[in-house]
Protein backbone atom coordinates (compact mmCIF):
# COMPACT_ATOMS: atom_id res chain seq x y z
CA UNK A 1 0.00 0.00 0.00
CA UNK A 2 1.36 3.42 -0.89
CA UNK A 3 0.73 6.11 1.68
CA UNK A 4 -0.51 9.47 0.43
CA UNK A 5 1.59 12.60 0.93
CA UNK A 6 -0.80 13.68 3.68
CA UNK A 7 -0.41 10.36 5.54
CA UNK A 8 3.36 10.45 5.19
CA UNK A 9 3.61 14.01 6.52
CA UNK A 10 1.14 13.25 9.33
CA UNK A 11 3.22 10.28 10.45
CA UNK A 12 6.47 12.30 10.35
CA UNK A 13 5.11 15.01 12.62
CA UNK A 14 3.60 12.50 15.03
CA UNK A 15 7.02 10.89 15.34
CA UNK A 16 8.63 14.30 15.85
CA UNK A 17 6.12 15.05 18.61
CA UNK A 18 7.33 11.99 20.51
CA UNK A 19 10.90 13.31 20.46
CA UNK A 20 10.48 16.99 21.36
CA UNK A 21 8.07 18.79 23.66
CA UNK A 22 8.36 22.34 22.39
CA UNK A 23 7.26 23.97 19.12
CA UNK A 24 9.51 23.97 16.07
CA UNK A 25 9.39 26.47 13.22
CA UNK A 26 10.98 25.49 9.94
CA UNK A 27 11.42 28.12 7.25
CA UNK A 28 11.50 27.09 3.59
CA UNK A 29 13.91 29.75 2.33
CA UNK A 30 13.55 32.42 -0.28
CA UNK A 31 14.56 32.60 -3.90
CA UNK A 32 17.46 34.94 -4.51
CA UNK A 33 17.36 37.55 -7.29
CA UNK A 34 20.15 37.56 -9.87
CA UNK A 35 19.84 41.10 -11.13
CA UNK A 36 16.20 42.12 -10.69
CA UNK A 37 13.49 40.65 -8.47
CA UNK A 38 11.72 38.57 -11.11
CA UNK A 39 14.94 37.02 -12.45
CA UNK A 40 15.94 34.62 -9.69
CA UNK A 41 18.53 31.89 -9.16
CA UNK A 42 17.01 28.40 -9.20
CA UNK A 43 15.15 27.93 -5.92
CA UNK A 44 15.69 24.95 -3.63
CA UNK A 45 13.62 24.71 -0.43
CA UNK A 46 15.38 23.78 2.81
CA UNK A 47 15.46 20.01 3.22
CA UNK A 48 14.21 20.06 6.81
CA UNK A 49 11.19 22.06 5.65
CA UNK A 50 10.63 19.68 2.74
CA UNK A 51 10.69 16.69 5.06
CA UNK A 52 7.68 17.94 7.03
CA UNK A 53 5.94 20.17 4.46
CA UNK A 54 6.37 17.87 1.45
CA UNK A 55 6.35 20.62 -1.18
CA UNK A 56 9.08 23.04 -2.32
CA UNK A 57 7.17 26.21 -1.37
CA UNK A 58 9.20 29.43 -1.43
CA UNK A 59 8.82 32.12 1.28
CA UNK A 60 6.91 29.86 3.65
CA UNK A 61 7.26 28.45 7.15
CA UNK A 62 5.64 25.68 9.13
CA UNK A 63 5.12 25.52 12.86
CA UNK A 64 5.04 22.02 14.32
CA UNK A 65 3.76 21.37 17.81
CA UNK A 66 2.33 18.23 19.40
CA UNK A 67 1.78 16.61 16.01
CA UNK A 68 -0.03 19.62 14.49
CA UNK A 69 1.17 21.60 11.49
CA UNK A 70 0.44 25.28 10.93
CA UNK A 71 1.35 26.67 7.53
CA UNK A 72 2.47 30.29 7.07
CA UNK A 73 2.49 31.56 3.52
CA UNK A 74 1.10 34.55 1.68
CA UNK A 75 -1.48 34.16 -1.02
CA UNK A 76 -0.07 35.00 -4.45
CA UNK A 77 -0.35 38.72 -5.24
CA UNK A 78 -2.89 39.54 -7.97
CA UNK A 79 -0.03 40.78 -10.19
CA UNK A 80 1.74 37.42 -9.92
CA UNK A 81 -0.83 35.79 -12.22
CA UNK A 82 0.56 37.87 -15.09
CA UNK A 83 4.11 36.51 -14.67
CA UNK A 84 3.58 33.13 -13.03
CA UNK A 85 0.04 32.11 -14.02
CA UNK A 86 -2.53 30.93 -11.52
CA UNK A 87 -0.71 29.42 -8.53
CA UNK A 88 -2.38 27.57 -5.62
CA UNK A 89 -3.85 29.63 -2.80
CA UNK A 90 -2.82 29.23 0.83
CA UNK A 91 -5.93 27.18 1.54
CA UNK A 92 -5.32 24.89 -1.42
CA UNK A 93 -1.75 24.23 -0.31
CA UNK A 94 -2.90 23.65 3.26
CA UNK A 95 -5.36 21.02 2.03
CA UNK A 96 -2.72 19.38 -0.16
CA UNK A 97 -0.29 18.86 2.74
CA UNK A 98 -2.88 18.22 5.45
CA UNK A 99 -2.11 21.36 7.50
CA UNK A 100 -4.18 21.88 10.65
CA UNK A 101 -4.30 25.64 10.08
CA UNK A 102 -2.93 28.18 7.60
CA UNK A 103 -2.07 31.87 8.05
CA UNK A 104 -0.43 34.75 6.20
CA UNK A 105 3.32 35.02 6.83
CA UNK A 106 2.86 38.15 8.98
CA UNK A 107 1.06 36.07 11.64
CA UNK A 108 4.17 34.02 12.31
CA UNK A 109 5.68 36.78 14.47
CA UNK A 110 3.07 36.13 17.17
CA UNK A 111 3.71 32.34 17.18
CA UNK A 112 7.47 32.21 17.79
CA UNK A 113 7.63 32.00 21.59
CA UNK A 114 9.64 29.04 22.85
CA UNK A 115 10.16 27.72 19.33
CA UNK A 116 13.24 25.91 18.09
CA UNK A 117 14.51 26.18 14.55
CA UNK A 118 17.26 25.14 12.16
CA UNK A 119 19.14 27.78 10.20
CA UNK A 120 18.35 28.00 6.50
CA UNK A 121 21.32 28.60 4.18
CA UNK A 122 20.18 31.77 2.39
CA UNK A 123 21.06 35.01 4.14
CA UNK A 124 17.63 36.61 3.79
CA UNK A 125 16.06 33.68 5.64
CA UNK A 126 18.56 33.21 8.45
CA UNK A 127 18.48 36.96 9.03
CA UNK A 128 14.72 36.77 9.33
CA UNK A 129 14.98 33.72 11.64
CA UNK A 130 17.44 35.63 13.82
CA UNK A 131 15.15 38.66 14.03
CA UNK A 132 11.94 36.76 14.69
CA UNK A 133 13.41 34.43 17.30
CA UNK A 134 15.56 37.19 18.81
CA UNK A 135 18.71 35.06 18.91
CA UNK A 136 21.54 34.42 16.48
CA UNK A 137 20.57 31.72 13.96
CA UNK A 138 23.48 31.08 11.61
CA UNK A 139 23.92 28.24 9.10
CA UNK A 140 27.59 27.54 9.79
CA UNK A 141 27.32 27.69 13.59
CA UNK A 142 26.43 24.54 15.53
CA UNK A 143 22.90 24.75 17.02
CA UNK A 144 22.54 25.12 20.79
CA UNK A 145 19.84 24.46 23.39
CA UNK A 146 16.42 23.62 21.97
CA UNK A 147 17.73 24.13 18.43
CA UNK A 148 20.21 21.33 19.07
CA UNK A 149 17.46 19.13 20.54
CA UNK A 150 15.36 19.76 17.44
CA UNK A 151 18.30 19.00 15.15
CA UNK A 152 18.93 15.72 16.96
CA UNK A 153 15.26 14.76 16.74
CA UNK A 154 15.20 15.49 13.01
CA UNK A 155 18.39 13.47 12.52
CA UNK A 156 16.73 10.55 14.31
CA UNK A 157 13.82 10.71 11.87
CA UNK A 158 15.73 11.41 8.67
CA UNK A 159 18.48 8.82 9.28
CA UNK A 160 16.16 6.04 8.15
CA UNK A 161 13.67 6.41 5.34
CA UNK A 162 9.92 5.84 5.46
CA UNK A 163 7.83 4.44 2.61
CA UNK A 164 7.04 7.89 1.18
CA UNK A 165 10.74 8.80 1.06
CA UNK A 166 11.72 5.47 -0.47
CA UNK A 167 9.22 5.83 -3.31
CA UNK A 168 10.79 9.20 -4.18
CA UNK A 169 14.37 7.95 -3.76
CA UNK A 170 13.65 5.01 -6.07
CA UNK A 171 12.28 7.28 -8.79
CA UNK A 172 15.34 9.57 -8.51
CA UNK A 173 17.53 6.44 -8.80
CA UNK A 174 15.64 5.13 -11.85
CA UNK A 175 15.93 8.40 -13.74
CA UNK A 176 19.61 8.72 -12.82
CA UNK A 177 20.29 5.23 -14.20
CA UNK A 178 18.73 6.28 -17.51
CA UNK A 179 20.80 9.47 -17.50
CA UNK A 180 24.00 7.45 -17.14
CA UNK A 181 23.01 5.14 -19.97
CA UNK A 182 22.45 8.22 -22.15
CA UNK A 183 25.91 9.48 -21.16
CA UNK A 184 27.53 6.19 -22.15
CA UNK A 185 25.70 6.26 -25.47
CA UNK A 186 26.86 9.82 -26.14
CA UNK A 187 30.53 9.60 -25.22
CA UNK A 188 31.84 7.84 -28.31
CA UNK A 189 30.84 10.63 -30.67
CA UNK A 190 31.08 13.56 -28.24
CA UNK A 191 33.91 16.00 -28.84
CA UNK A 192 33.70 17.76 -25.49
CA UNK A 193 32.68 16.79 -21.91
CA UNK A 194 29.80 19.29 -22.10
CA UNK A 195 28.06 17.18 -24.76
CA UNK A 196 28.01 14.14 -22.49
CA UNK A 197 26.75 16.26 -19.62
CA UNK A 198 23.98 17.60 -21.86
CA UNK A 199 22.95 14.06 -22.88
CA UNK A 200 22.78 13.01 -19.24
CA UNK A 201 21.02 16.05 -17.85
CA UNK A 202 18.53 16.07 -20.72
CA UNK A 203 17.13 12.77 -19.40
CA UNK A 204 16.79 14.27 -15.93
CA UNK A 205 15.16 17.44 -17.23
CA UNK A 206 12.82 15.43 -19.47
CA UNK A 207 11.49 13.70 -16.33
CA UNK A 208 10.81 17.12 -14.79
CA UNK A 209 13.59 16.59 -12.31
CA UNK A 210 16.73 18.56 -11.51
CA UNK A 211 20.25 17.47 -10.73
CA UNK A 212 20.77 16.84 -7.03
CA UNK A 213 24.25 18.45 -7.19
CA UNK A 214 26.39 20.00 -9.89
CA UNK A 215 27.18 17.23 -12.34
CA UNK A 216 30.76 16.02 -12.57
CA UNK A 217 31.41 14.90 -16.16
CA UNK A 218 35.10 14.97 -16.82
CA UNK A 219 38.15 13.35 -18.31
CA UNK A 220 39.96 14.71 -15.26
CA UNK A 221 38.29 12.48 -12.68
CA UNK A 222 41.22 13.10 -10.34
CA UNK A 223 39.67 16.51 -9.58
CA UNK A 224 37.05 15.20 -7.18
CA UNK A 225 34.39 17.84 -7.64
CA UNK A 226 35.36 18.97 -11.12
CA UNK A 227 32.76 21.39 -12.41
CA UNK A 228 34.33 22.18 -15.76
CA UNK A 229 33.02 20.67 -18.94
CA UNK A 230 35.22 22.19 -21.62
CA UNK A 231 37.91 19.54 -22.03
CA UNK A 232 38.05 17.74 -25.36
CA UNK A 233 37.27 14.03 -25.29
CA UNK A 234 40.05 12.02 -26.85
CA UNK A 235 40.40 8.34 -27.67
CA UNK A 236 42.06 6.54 -24.78
CA UNK A 237 40.55 8.83 -22.14
CA UNK A 238 38.43 7.68 -19.26
CA UNK A 239 35.40 9.84 -18.59
CA UNK A 240 34.14 10.02 -15.01
CA UNK A 241 30.44 10.91 -14.73
CA UNK A 242 29.04 11.61 -11.26
CA UNK A 243 25.46 12.67 -11.98
CA UNK A 244 22.27 12.28 -9.96
CA UNK A 245 18.65 13.35 -10.26
CA UNK A 246 16.47 14.98 -7.63
CA UNK A 247 12.70 14.55 -7.66
CA UNK A 248 10.42 17.59 -7.75
CA UNK A 249 9.97 17.22 -3.98
CA UNK A 250 13.70 17.13 -3.36
CA UNK A 251 14.78 13.47 -2.97
CA UNK A 252 18.20 12.66 -4.40
CA UNK A 253 20.21 10.02 -6.20
CA UNK A 254 23.98 10.00 -6.57
CA UNK A 255 25.66 7.74 -9.14
CA UNK A 256 29.15 7.60 -10.61
CA UNK A 257 30.39 5.53 -13.49
CA UNK A 258 33.70 5.75 -15.31
CA UNK A 259 33.81 4.74 -18.94
CA UNK A 260 36.36 4.50 -21.73
CA UNK A 261 35.60 7.16 -24.31
CA UNK A 262 36.49 4.88 -27.22
CA UNK A 263 34.55 1.92 -25.86
CA UNK A 264 37.46 -0.21 -24.67
CA UNK A 265 39.51 0.06 -21.46
CA UNK A 266 43.27 -0.16 -21.96
CA UNK A 267 44.85 -3.01 -20.00
CA UNK A 268 46.12 -0.62 -17.30
CA UNK A 269 42.72 1.10 -17.07
CA UNK A 270 41.02 -2.27 -16.88
CA UNK A 271 43.34 -3.45 -14.07
CA UNK A 272 42.53 -0.45 -11.92
CA UNK A 273 38.84 -0.45 -12.88
CA UNK A 274 38.50 -4.08 -11.80
CA UNK A 275 40.25 -3.27 -8.54
CA UNK A 276 37.90 -0.37 -7.75
CA UNK A 277 34.97 -2.60 -8.67
CA UNK A 278 36.25 -5.34 -6.35
CA UNK A 279 36.26 -2.81 -3.50
CA UNK A 280 32.76 -1.62 -4.49
CA UNK A 281 31.37 -5.16 -4.59
CA UNK A 282 33.06 -6.22 -1.34
CA UNK A 283 31.64 -3.18 0.49
CA UNK A 284 28.10 -3.75 -0.78
CA UNK A 285 28.27 -7.43 0.16
CA UNK A 286 29.36 -6.43 3.68
CA UNK A 287 26.42 -4.06 4.28
CA UNK A 288 24.14 -5.46 6.98
CA UNK A 289 22.31 -3.97 9.93
CA UNK A 290 24.69 -3.50 12.84
CA UNK A 291 27.82 -3.31 10.70
CA UNK A 292 29.94 -0.20 11.32
CA UNK A 293 30.15 2.02 8.24
CA UNK A 294 33.74 2.85 9.24
CA UNK A 295 34.54 -0.86 8.86
CA UNK A 296 33.07 -0.77 5.35
CA UNK A 297 35.41 2.13 4.62
CA UNK A 298 38.38 0.16 5.99
CA UNK A 299 37.34 -2.83 3.89
CA UNK A 300 37.54 -0.63 0.78
CA UNK A 301 40.93 0.72 1.87
CA UNK A 302 42.33 -2.79 2.42
CA UNK A 303 40.90 -4.13 -0.85
CA UNK A 304 42.44 -1.23 -2.75
CA UNK A 305 45.78 -1.55 -0.93
CA UNK A 306 45.93 -5.31 -1.60
CA UNK A 307 45.02 -4.81 -5.25
CA UNK A 308 47.73 -2.18 -5.65
CA UNK A 309 50.24 -4.56 -4.05
CA UNK A 310 49.15 -7.27 -6.50
CA UNK A 311 49.65 -4.85 -9.39
CA UNK A 312 53.11 -3.98 -8.13
CA UNK A 313 52.23 -0.34 -7.39
CA UNK A 314 52.53 -0.68 -3.60
CA UNK A 315 55.00 -2.69 -1.57
CA UNK A 316 54.10 -4.30 1.75
CA UNK A 317 51.15 -5.82 3.59
CA UNK A 318 47.71 -4.35 2.92
CA UNK A 319 46.85 -3.86 6.63
CA UNK A 320 50.13 -2.18 7.31
CA UNK A 321 49.82 0.08 4.26
CA UNK A 322 46.35 1.16 5.37
CA UNK A 323 47.64 1.91 8.87
CA UNK A 324 50.27 4.12 7.28
CA UNK A 325 47.61 5.80 5.05
CA UNK A 326 49.48 4.82 1.88
CA UNK A 327 46.19 3.71 0.23
CA UNK A 328 44.91 7.27 0.76
CA UNK A 329 47.45 8.60 -1.71
CA UNK A 330 45.14 7.01 -4.31
CA UNK A 331 41.81 6.82 -2.42
CA UNK A 332 41.78 10.01 -0.36
CA UNK A 333 38.04 10.31 0.35
CA UNK A 334 35.56 8.33 2.44
CA UNK A 335 33.67 5.34 1.08
CA UNK A 336 30.44 7.36 0.98
CA UNK A 337 27.77 9.20 2.90
CA UNK A 338 24.11 9.36 3.83
CA UNK A 339 21.69 10.05 1.00
CA UNK A 340 18.16 11.40 1.26
CA UNK A 341 16.79 14.87 0.68
CA UNK A 342 20.35 15.90 0.02
CA UNK A 343 23.46 14.24 -1.26
CA UNK A 344 25.64 14.29 1.83
CA UNK A 345 22.34 14.22 3.66
CA UNK A 346 21.97 16.59 6.62
CA UNK A 347 25.55 17.86 6.40
CA UNK A 348 24.13 21.32 7.03
CA UNK A 349 24.18 20.07 10.65
CA UNK A 350 27.92 19.33 10.54
CA UNK A 351 28.62 15.77 11.71
CA UNK A 352 25.49 15.52 13.87
CA UNK A 353 23.87 13.13 11.42
CA UNK A 354 26.96 11.42 10.06
CA UNK A 355 28.68 10.65 13.34
CA UNK A 356 27.28 8.60 16.21
CA UNK A 357 27.15 10.66 19.41
CA UNK A 358 30.56 10.73 21.10
CA UNK A 359 32.49 10.07 17.90
CA UNK A 360 34.64 12.62 16.13
CA UNK A 361 36.47 12.85 12.84
CA UNK A 362 39.87 11.23 12.79
CA UNK A 363 42.85 13.49 12.20
CA UNK A 364 44.40 10.80 9.96
CA UNK A 365 44.53 11.63 6.24
CA UNK A 366 43.11 8.21 5.37
CA UNK A 367 40.12 8.51 7.72
CA UNK A 368 39.43 12.23 8.13
CA UNK A 369 37.20 12.48 5.07
CA UNK A 370 34.90 9.73 6.29
CA UNK A 371 31.46 11.40 6.31
CA UNK A 372 29.52 8.64 8.05
CA UNK A 373 30.61 6.83 11.18
CA UNK A 374 27.66 4.94 12.63
CA UNK A 375 26.43 1.39 12.83
CA UNK A 376 24.12 0.72 9.88
CA UNK A 377 20.38 0.38 10.49
CA UNK A 378 17.58 -0.87 8.24
CA UNK A 379 16.13 2.04 6.28
CA UNK A 380 19.40 3.98 5.99
CA UNK A 381 20.42 4.88 2.45
CA UNK A 382 24.15 5.24 1.89
CA UNK A 383 26.44 5.58 -1.07
CA UNK A 384 29.29 3.20 -1.76
CA UNK A 385 31.83 4.99 -3.90
CA UNK A 386 35.39 3.70 -3.87
CA UNK A 387 37.83 5.31 -6.26
CA UNK A 388 41.38 5.53 -7.50
CA UNK A 389 42.91 8.87 -8.38
CA UNK A 390 46.31 10.15 -9.36
CA UNK A 391 46.25 13.65 -7.93
CA UNK A 392 49.59 15.28 -8.80
CA UNK A 393 49.57 17.50 -5.68
CA UNK A 394 49.05 14.52 -3.35
CA UNK A 395 51.52 12.23 -5.09
CA UNK A 396 54.24 14.88 -5.31
CA UNK A 397 53.95 15.61 -1.62
CA UNK A 398 54.15 11.87 -0.84
CA UNK A 399 57.29 11.10 -2.83
CA UNK A 400 59.66 11.38 0.08
CA UNK A 401 57.46 9.85 2.78
CA UNK A 402 56.49 6.85 0.69
CA UNK A 403 59.65 6.61 -1.39
CA UNK A 404 59.86 2.82 -0.94
CA UNK A 405 56.26 1.85 -0.25
CA UNK A 406 55.11 3.16 -3.63
CA UNK A 407 56.85 1.70 -6.70
CA UNK A 408 57.02 4.96 -8.60
CA UNK A 409 58.39 3.41 -11.77
CA UNK A 410 55.56 0.90 -11.92
CA UNK A 411 53.05 3.66 -11.21
CA UNK A 412 54.25 5.54 -14.31
CA UNK A 413 52.87 2.72 -16.44
CA UNK A 414 49.37 3.67 -15.22
CA UNK A 415 49.56 7.21 -16.54
CA UNK A 416 46.33 6.73 -18.52
CA UNK A 417 44.36 6.24 -15.28
CA UNK A 418 43.77 9.68 -13.82
CA UNK A 419 40.52 9.05 -11.96
CA UNK A 420 38.07 6.17 -11.54
CA UNK A 421 35.07 6.07 -9.21
CA UNK A 422 32.15 3.66 -9.11
CA UNK A 423 29.23 4.83 -6.98
CA UNK A 424 25.89 3.25 -6.14
CA UNK A 425 23.05 4.02 -3.73
CA UNK A 426 22.54 1.25 -1.21
CA UNK A 427 19.59 0.80 1.11
CA UNK A 428 20.22 -1.10 4.33
CA UNK A 429 17.47 -3.70 4.74
CA UNK A 430 16.54 -6.03 7.61
CA UNK A 431 18.66 -8.78 6.11
CA UNK A 432 21.40 -6.98 4.18
CA UNK A 433 21.28 -4.45 1.38
CA UNK A 434 19.34 -3.43 -1.70
CA UNK A 435 21.13 -1.45 -4.40
CA UNK A 436 18.60 1.12 -5.65
CA UNK A 437 20.79 1.85 -8.67
CA UNK A 438 21.57 -1.74 -9.60
CA UNK A 439 19.90 -1.45 -13.02
CA UNK A 440 23.04 0.39 -14.14
CA UNK A 441 25.80 -2.12 -14.92
CA UNK A 442 29.16 -1.88 -13.21
CA UNK A 443 31.34 -4.51 -14.87
CA UNK A 444 33.96 -3.32 -17.35
CA UNK A 445 32.60 -5.49 -20.15
CA UNK A 446 29.01 -4.29 -19.69
CA UNK A 447 30.18 -0.66 -19.61
CA UNK A 448 32.14 -1.24 -22.83
CA UNK A 449 29.03 -2.73 -24.40
CA UNK A 450 26.91 0.28 -23.42
CA UNK A 451 29.49 2.72 -24.80
CA UNK A 452 29.83 0.92 -28.12
CA UNK A 453 26.14 0.07 -28.58
CA UNK A 454 24.71 1.94 -31.58
N1 LIG B 1 28.34 13.59 -5.94
C1 LIG B 1 29.12 13.90 -4.81
C2 LIG B 1 29.52 12.72 -4.08
O1 LIG B 1 29.51 11.64 -4.62
O2 LIG B 1 29.81 12.75 -2.92
MN1 LIG C 1 28.38 10.44 -3.30
MN1 LIG D 1 28.54 11.22 -6.46
Amino acid sequence: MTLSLIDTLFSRRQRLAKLIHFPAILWSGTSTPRNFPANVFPYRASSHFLYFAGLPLPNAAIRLEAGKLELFIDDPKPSSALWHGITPSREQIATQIGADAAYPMAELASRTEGAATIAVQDAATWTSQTQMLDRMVLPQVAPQGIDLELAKAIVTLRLTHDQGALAELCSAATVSVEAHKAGMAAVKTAKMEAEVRAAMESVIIAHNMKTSYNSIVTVHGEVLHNEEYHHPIQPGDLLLADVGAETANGWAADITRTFPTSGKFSSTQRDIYDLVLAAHDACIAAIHPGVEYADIHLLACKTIAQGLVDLGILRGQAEDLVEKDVHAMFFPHGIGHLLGLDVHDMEDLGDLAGYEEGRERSSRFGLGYLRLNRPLRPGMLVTIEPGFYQVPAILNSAREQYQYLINWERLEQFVDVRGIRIEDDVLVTNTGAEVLTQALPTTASKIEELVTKV
Side-chain angles (χ1 to χ4, degrees):
M1 188 194 67
T2 332
L3 289 179
S4 70
L5 178 67
I6 290 183
D7 293 334
T8 298
L9 300 178
F10 180 81
S11 153
R12 288 177 189 163
R13 55 185 190 266
Q14 300 312 310
R15 282 184 285 139
L16 180 69
K18 291 204 173 81
L19 298 173
I20 57 165
H21 302 287
F22 45 81
I25 302 176
L26 296 172
W27 275 258
S28 68
T30 57
S31 51
T32 311
R34 283 173 61 144
N35 61 336
F36 71 102
N39 182 21
V40 291
F41 285 108
Y43 170 68
R44 173 56 162 70
S46 143
S47 293
H48 303 298
F49 174 90
L50 277 173
Y51 188 75
F52 293 100
L55 301 178
L57 310 165
N59 309 316
I62 51 173
R63 184 177 179 282
L64 302 163
E65 186 174 20
K68 300 258 190 265
L69 184 155
E70 293 168 0
L71 171 69
F72 295 84
I73 190 167
D74 290 332
D75 267 329
K77 292 193 184 88
S79 62
S80 118
L82 175 61
W83 302 104
H84 306 295
I86 305 294
T87 45
S89 67
R90 178 189 312 119
E91 283 313 317
Q92 286 168 324
I93 296 168
T95 304
Q96 207 183 339
I97 66 172
D100 297 284
Y103 307 102
M105 208 41 180
E107 304 276 320
L108 182 58
S110 63
R111 303 284 289 149
T112 56
E113 196 170 328
T117 196
I118 294 180
V120 173
Q121 300 291 319
D122 73 88
T125 305
W126 63 252
T127 306
S128 165
Q129 290 177 280
T130 295
Q131 280 166 350
M132 290 183 90
L133 296 173
D134 198 20
R135 63 173 181 274
M136 208 61 217
V137 180
L138 270 175
Q140 307 316 335
V141 173
Q144 308 273 329
I146 55 170
D147 294 345
L148 178 59
E149 279 185 60
L150 171 64
K152 285 183 176 173
I154 291 181
V155 165
T156 302
L157 298 183
R158 286 183 55 191
L159 263 181
T160 57
H161 295 299
D162 57 28
Q163 222 181 74
L166 284 173
E168 294 263 338
L169 290 162
C170 286
S171 59
T174 303
V175 169
S176 305
V177 165
E178 290 314 309
H180 277 260
K181 287 185 179 165
M184 291 177 200
V187 75
K188 223 167 147 242
T189 52
K191 303 235 169 343
M192 189 171 47
E193 294 158 336
E195 292 170 54
V196 182
R197 176 193 179 200
M200 298 182 81
E201 293 193 5
S202 80
V203 173
I204 294 172
I205 294 165
H207 283 84
N208 197 27
M209 294 191 186
K210 293 176 181 160
T211 53
S212 51
Y213 49 91
N214 293 337
S215 300
I216 301 161
V217 182
T218 181
V219 293
H220 283 284
E222 77 279 13
V223 181
L224 294 188
H225 280 185
N226 204 334
E227 289 181 7
E228 292 185 336
Y229 313 100
H230 64 270
H231 298 111
I233 291 177
Q234 281 156 351
D237 276 341
L238 288 179
L239 183 121
L240 186 153
D242 184 345
V243 176
E246 168 178 305
T247 65
N249 292 335
W251 296 87
D254 183 10
I255 305 182
T256 308
R257 288 293 183 271
T258 309
F259 29 100
T261 57
S262 49
K264 186 104 187 110
F265 288 96
S266 72
S267 68
T268 41
Q269 290 169 343
R270 175 79 186 242
D271 282 344
I272 301 284
Y273 187 90
D274 286 346
L275 167 54
V276 175
L277 184 59
H280 165 276
D281 291 353
C283 289
I284 292 177
I287 290 188
H288 283 85
V291 169
E292 288 287 348
Y293 192 75
D295 288 340
I296 305 275
H297 175 71
L298 284 172
L299 176 61
C301 301
K302 281 179 207 153
T303 309
I304 288 169
Q306 183 61 55
L308 293 177
V309 169
D310 295 342
L311 288 172
I313 294 174
L314 294 185
R315 296 187 181 105
Q317 302 290 324
E319 293 236 350
D320 186 41
L321 291 165
V322 170
E323 263 172 40
K324 291 187 166 72
D325 285 338
V326 189
H327 70 285
M329 298 302 106
F330 302 97
F331 173 44
H333 59 72
I335 188 61
H337 49 82
L338 291 165
L339 183 62
L341 275 163
D342 283 302
V343 269
H344 300 194
D345 207 24
M346 297 181 274
E347 281 191 15
D348 62 314
L349 301 173
D351 281 336
L352 207 59
Y355 274 58
E356 188 86 348
E357 198 148 5
R359 297 184 188 178
E360 281 183 9
R361 294 240 180 180
S362 166
S363 56
R364 271 180 53 185
F365 184 64
L367 298 176
Y369 289 113
L370 187 57
R371 297 176 178 279
L372 176 58
N373 188 344
R374 284 181 179 273
L376 296 172
R377 292 188 0 226
M380 277 185 177
L381 182 62
V382 299
T383 66
I384 291 296
E385 48 180 305
F388 170 95
Y389 315 90
Q390 295 204 58
V391 183
I394 293 181
L395 291 175
N396 289 339
S397 70
R399 265 191 187 265
E400 212 173 299
Q401 189 182 0
Y402 300 126
Q403 191 178 353
Y404 302 109
L405 296 179
I406 297 176
N407 182 339
W408 297 94
E409 267 177 32
R410 177 72 176 135
L411 183 62
E412 274 171 24
Q413 293 169 359
F414 291 82
V415 68
D416 66 347
V417 193
R418 289 193 290 260
I420 291 178
R421 180 163 63 253
I422 307 171
E423 175 175 30
D424 277 302
D425 302 346
V426 186
L427 178 69
V428 185
T429 64
N430 289 324
T431 52
E434 181 191 342
V435 183
L436 299 190
T437 46
Q438 71 180 355
L440 188 64
T442 49
T443 62
S445 55
K446 281 268 164 38
I447 301 271
E448 287 177 345
E449 242 173 68
L450 283 167
V451 172
T452 47
K453 201 170 76 175
V454 277

